[in-house]
Amino acid sequence: MHKRIVSFALALAVAAAPAAAQTLTNSNRINIPDTGQALSSIDVSGLQGTISSLSLTLNGVNHSYSDDLVFGLVAEDLQLGLIFWSGAGGNNAVSNATVTFNDAAAGFLPYPLFDMGPVTTGSYLPSNWYAYGINGVGDVLSFADFAGYDPNGRWTLLAADTAAGDIGSVDRGWSLSFTTTGTGGAGPVPEPAAWAMLIGGFALAGAALRRQRRPSVTVSFAA
């Protein structure tokens, strides 16, 4: 009887243990054109359960004027989007920075009103200083807002340069790390055309644009 109790307790402990993070990567270089935008996608399939935590890493970010940069993430199947980088680093360059974003980080990307420093390698909270949104999807404010959803499907990184005079890149691509709980079947991966129909490319809607240089991209402002 005693052995049965011990075995049952061990089985419960194994069942309750959180799943290990599963990381998926698109290592292709992302070139961010002057006053332009770029898209890069990761197709997720075969993951079980629902999202309990999520983090995103940009590997090797370079740009000659950091304030121009805007990065966002769209879960296409869920039609949810998160802008996690805007208005950071001021007029500093960012050089070969490997930058991770999650809700457990200690602080935000540097914003000139509080911190005149450049963006450097490290872990940060989502830092949407210019309050951008993404047209055509529901905006969320943190990675925690993806919790409880199926991780399977297409996840698209949005990268934009919002003012003339500079270019950038993410030299070694990007990755998503999921921790999931529970069980469930794999969700469908959308057809590529679904993304184009959803927002017609990359469009930003923002409540404010605190730039000294006039942006030359088309930006619509929320009421």
Side-chain angles (χ1 to χ4, degrees):
M1 179 65 69
H2 181 67
K3 289 183 178 179
R4 287 185 179 180
I5 292 173
V6 171
S7 297
F8 181 66
L10 287 173
L12 284 178
V14 171
Q22 301 174 83
T23 300
L24 298 96
T25 299
N26 183 336
S27 59
N28 292 329
R29 177 186 171 96
I30 303 166
N31 293 311
I32 308 170
D34 193 15
T35 65
Q37 58 278 320
L39 306 177
S40 177
S41 294
I42 293 174
D43 289 330
V44 180
S45 63
L47 296 189
Q48 298 297 308
T50 59
I51 298 168
S52 58
S53 66
L54 173 64
S55 66
L56 182 152
T57 299
L58 303 174
N59 298 303
V61 181
N62 294 281
H63 198 276
S64 48
Y65 197 101
S66 181
D67 186 72
D68 289 358
L69 288 171
V70 178
F71 287 97
L73 176 68
V74 170
E76 297 189 26
D77 285 22
L78 306 177
Q79 296 189 17
L80 294 175
L82 169 67
I83 298 292
F84 57 86
W85 175 330
S86 75
N91 62 0
N92 296 296
V94 54
S95 179
N96 196 32
T98 296
V99 189
T100 296
F101 294 88
N102 58 56
D103 295 334
F108 297 93
L109 288 173
Y111 179 51
L113 186 62
F114 312 110
D115 183 350
M116 297 297 292
V119 175
T120 57
T121 292
S123 295
Y124 300 92
L125 296 164
S127 305
N128 185 12
W129 292 115
Y130 286 174
Y132 280 113
I134 302 171
N135 290 337
V137 297
D139 287 309
V140 300
L141 300 177
S142 70
F143 290 99
D145 292 320
F146 295 108
Y149 289 105
D150 186 348
N152 296 289
R154 176 163 292 178
W155 296 76
T156 296
L157 177 74
L158 316 174
D161 177 282
T162 60
D166 302 271
I167 60 174
S169 63
V170 184
D171 286 350
R172 298 181 299 281
W174 65 294
S175 60
L176 283 173
S177 292
F178 296 93
T179 300
T180 57
T181 56
T183 59
V189 175
E191 293 296 326
W195 176 243
M197 292 174 63
L198 183 64
I199 65 170
F202 183 52
L204 295 173
L209 182 65
R210 305 176 183 89
R211 280 299 312 273
Q212 296 300 315
R213 296 189 291 168
R214 182 179 177 85
S216 59
V217 295
T218 301
V219 178
S220 59
F221 293 90

